[in-house]
Amino acid sequence: TGTAKLGDTEFRVSTNASPEAIEAINELPVRLRDGTSVRVRDVAWAHDGFAPQTTIARVDGRRAVVLSVLKTGDASTTETADRIKAMLPGLRASAPKGMTLSLLADESIFVRNAITSLLEEGLIAALLTATMILVFLGSWRSTIIVFVSIPLSVLCALLVLRAMGQSINTMVLGGLALAVGILVDDATVEIENIHRNRAMGKRLTRAILDGAQQVAVPAFVASLAIGLVFAAVFFLEGPAKYLFQPLGLSVGLSVMASYLLSRTIVPTLVKYLIANESHEPGTGFFSRFHAGFERGWERFREGYVALLKTALSRRRTVLAIFSVAVMLATALATRVGRDFFPRVDGGQLRLHVSAPAGTRIEQTEAEFAQVEDAIRQLVPPEDLETIVSQLGLPQGYSLAVTDSTNTSSSDGEILIRFASHRHQTTAHYQAQLRELMADRFPELTSYFAPGDIVTQVINFGLPSPISVQISGAKRAEGLEQARALVRKLQTVPGIVDVRLHQVLDAPRLHLEVDRQRASEAGLTLRDVANDVLLTVSSSGQVAPNFWTDPVTLNSYPVVVQTPELKIESIESLTSVGLSSAKGVQLLGDLATIDRRSTPVFTSHVDVQPTWEVRADLAWLDLGSVAPKVEALVDEVRPRLPAGSTITVRGQIDGMRQAFSGLFLGFFLAVFLVYGLMVINFQSWLDPFVMLLALPGAAIGIVLSLFLTGTTFSVSSLMGAVMAIGV
């Protein structure tokens, strides 16, 4: 189309160059020979077809179309999922008869379950805390005052977090649940002190003022100490920083909010709620229970005083026992594993399976069907919810729209979702499937990609927790060392699925064109390449073209392609005719065809060609494996050619950074708390004596982790950091 100005009017000008219908393309003339027009229908068939299939999706053994929906970075996972679910009824109603639309995966379920669990845990903690206060204070009204301060403190913290751009997520809720037991400290201490002043015969108003004033400074120092220790999270880097900064902020802000409330709301509530409270012992069940508890508590306190006198009289014995306990805990700490993050049972597995490079998509599907059948035989029907397989590469493949690790038509992923009431853990089935693949499908290679949202985040987008990258311009030498590293890692206990990420042996047909013959025929090497690509692929590879539907105004690619049935062997390829000024030339007369191999893809890091060795963990913790991996890397490093580098990435690198940041923050927290107490006590020695409680806390931390089979991780270290403030 164009424009033309005729007189005072500007016209749009169009021609009939584009057919109105697809069938009309067949009537277009392509050549005039001997006075007769050769039309498209004489040499081809133009029709509404499909591009060659490059990807296949299967749901429970049947062909399907899988649509993945990703949210933008600042969007809410649950809100996005809710909007999609709200669209499904309308989509189902408008779908053709016989088509079923189902929700295959929903990451918002994990988020909702985590949030629900944290809310339940927070409520349980609040109720237990209120019960403890009721038992000790023996006052329903005082308990209500303390209990009310918990949600108010949480609300204040959420308001500040909202102003700072934070959202309600599992880390924020985890921090608030962690702080529930601490939020009642300020209010409890103040109410207890008010009761003490009331027992001294003071009027209510004077008792409130004196009770609040007497504990103001120590309560402020205690709250500030808890808030200060979370400065450690600001030394974290990478994903750990974004995961745990909201947790530290939520704890620190809620604790300071509880102190502010203890200065304002709590005294006011005391003024109106306990003004007429009777302090005479009652005759009800709770009064009798509280009186019995007080008698028992007094006996316990007397026993503690007696034990304390004994300890003070045998100081050397106590210190010796304490020193031995610290040394035993230090030795026991070496038996506690280390992980970047606690392992999560997400209720699903992502099994990546690869057939030999170059396998056609149809044959890959047949292989996957056998693997799916084997999975159904292994997993009981009551434990299996669904199996979703995605093979090959989609058209317009981009990492921006999928996290798939597929690289060609010969590999794919099988998503196995287990029922919520399954009888075995996901880790149990993962170990069984790994043995199954090795025994029944030795011709296939497989590994497990992260199946849950947490592991996907802490893996930095990698499909494996261990990744070693060898970069350098000398590719052959780097490849040799990468293969040597694969062999060495396969001997390390606890490491499984060791593999070289780059696939190097895809089949390739190499055309060695005789340039002299081609030139004599009037052809250039580019002409030969274009004609061959047109034959084995389509014109979309060399000359993209589009047709616009005049009704819908949608554009569709128009491609010319030789039917696959006509090009089924190398012999048929050599008989392909090439159009030239001297007539049709056979490809076999101008070129020879050799079978060779080629990489499926290449990787570059900082422009340098890179080989990547990946591995997974089976039954050991990451901390036990990391030194062995780094030792093997140190063995390989001197053998690399000049200019090449080797780097350990993945969770090992993330764990190292997070632990070093937390330990630095740990010592800073100790220094800050010590300085705070020095200012408060006006003494250098008293705060040092108080800090000697930290080794005792370390004993409890190590012992509890060892007995529960829990490893040191960023999460457990955050709890240890919080113990400093407590």
Side-chain angles (χ1 to χ4, degrees), residues 83-135:
R83 291 182 177 181
I84 294 173
K85 292 175 184 177
M87 295 171 60
L88 286 179
L91 295 175
R92 290 191 179 103
S94 59
K97 186 177 180 180
M99 178 184 291
T100 59
L101 279 78
S102 57
L103 194 63
L104 298 178
D106 183 5
E107 290 290 357
S108 69
I109 295 177
F110 177 84
V111 177
R112 293 181 194 278
N113 290 340
I115 292 176
T116 301
S117 299
L118 285 170
L119 291 175
E120 292 175 354
E121 296 297 333
L123 180 60
I124 292 173
L127 292 175
L128 290 175
T129 303
T131 302
M132 184 67 68
I133 294 170
L134 179 61
V135 169

Side-chain angles (χ1 to χ4, degrees), residues 2-13:
T3 58
K5 296 180 180 179
L6 301 178
D8 297 332
T9 306
E10 181 177 281
F11 295 89
R12 294 279 182 174
V13 180

Side-chain angles (χ1 to χ4, degrees), residues 345-570:
D345 189 343
Q348 61 184 25
L349 291 174
R350 289 174 64 184
L351 176 62
H352 187 98
V353 180
S354 298
T359 303
R360 288 176 61 112
I361 189 73
E362 298 85 357
Q363 180 60 31
T364 303
E365 183 184 18
E367 300 279 2
F368 269 65
Q370 297 179 28
V371 175
E372 292 172 6
D373 292 339
I375 293 173
R376 293 188 184 92
Q377 295 173 11
L378 176 67
V379 183
E382 62 271 15
D383 285 6
L384 185 61
E385 183 174 317
T386 185
I387 297 178
V388 180
S389 300
Q390 297 191 68
L391 294 65
L393 290 175
Q395 294 286 351
Y397 173 74
S398 172
L399 287 176
V401 296
T402 178
D403 64 342
S404 172
T405 54
N406 296 354
T407 58
S408 67
S409 62
S410 58
D411 65 346
E413 284 187 354
I414 302 178
L415 176 65
I416 309 165
R417 296 196 62 184
F418 300 103
S420 56
H421 56 275
R422 60 189 180 277
H423 298 85
Q424 296 290 347
T425 63
T426 302
H428 172 80
Y429 285 126
Q430 182 176 1
Q432 288 192 325
L433 285 172
R434 185 175 282 116
E435 295 180 2
L436 171 71
M437 295 300 298
D439 294 339
R440 294 186 53 179
F441 304 98
E443 72 282 3
L444 304 177
T445 59
S446 63
Y447 62 87
F448 288 93
D452 59 272
I453 189 173
V454 174
T455 310
Q456 292 170 8
V457 171
I458 65 175
N459 268 10
F460 300 89
L462 297 173
S464 300
I466 300 174
S467 174
V468 182
Q469 296 178 350
I470 299 177
S471 301
K474 298 181 179 180
R475 295 174 52 85
E477 292 85 345
L479 176 60
E480 180 182 356
Q481 296 303 321
R483 286 174 170 166
L485 182 61
V486 169
R487 292 191 295 269
K488 293 179 180 179
L489 286 175
Q490 289 173 340
T491 63
V492 177
I495 291 184
V496 294
D497 300 337
V498 184
R499 62 202 180 274
L500 181 65
H501 176 53
Q502 285 71 26
V503 180
L504 307 175
D505 56 350
R508 172 166 61 106
L509 295 178
H510 178 73
L511 275 68
E512 189 70 27
V513 180
D514 189 324
R515 296 176 182 269
Q516 182 63 33
R517 288 187 181 181
S519 177
E520 292 174 356
L523 295 172
T524 64
L525 194 60
R526 178 173 183 153
D527 296 332
V528 175
N530 286 346
D531 284 354
V532 172
L533 283 176
L534 182 65
T535 300
V536 299
S537 182
S538 70
S539 61
Q541 294 285 340
V542 294
N545 197 5
F546 298 90
W547 172 75
T548 302
D549 189 334
V551 177
T552 64
L553 299 181
N554 291 329
S555 295
Y556 299 90
V558 178
V559 298
V560 178
Q561 182 176 357
T562 302
E564 292 185 0
L565 292 176
K566 294 185 178 296
I567 306 295
E568 56 183 6
S569 65
I570 294 181

Side-chain angles (χ1 to χ4, degrees), residues 246-285:
L247 184 146
L249 287 172
S250 60
V251 173
L253 291 174
S254 59
V255 169
M256 296 312 299
S258 71
Y259 176 79
L260 179 63
L261 292 173
S262 71
R263 303 292 94 203
T264 54
I265 300 297
V266 171
T268 305
L269 292 176
V270 170
K271 170 74 174 177
Y272 290 100
L273 287 181
I274 69 172
N276 301 319
E277 187 178 40
S278 175
H279 294 274
E280 297 296 329
T283 58
F285 168 77

Side-chain angles (χ1 to χ4, degrees), residues 55-71:
T55 180
I56 294 176
R58 294 165 54 90
V59 177
D60 293 330
R62 300 177 60 186
R63 287 281 188 96
V65 175
V66 176
L67 176 64
S68 299
V69 181
L70 303 180
K71 73 177 186 67

Side-chain angles (χ1 to χ4, degrees), residues 321-362:
I321 294 174
F322 180 71
S323 300
V324 171
V326 171
M327 288 187 291
L328 291 176
T330 303
L332 188 62
T334 60
R335 309 290 297 177
V336 179
R338 291 178 297 135
D339 278 312
F340 184 30
F341 203 81
R343 298 184 183 182
V344 177
D345 189 343
Q348 61 184 25
L349 291 174
R350 289 174 64 184
L351 176 62
H352 187 98
V353 180
S354 298
T359 303
R360 288 176 61 112
I361 189 73
E362 298 85 357

Side-chain angles (χ1 to χ4, degrees), residues 688-715:
F688 178 76
V689 173
M690 296 179 68
L691 286 181
L692 289 179
L694 293 182
I699 295 174
I701 292 170
V702 172
L703 188 61
S704 61
L705 292 178
F706 179 78
L707 293 178
T708 58
T710 308
T711 58
F712 285 114
S713 63
V714 180
S715 301

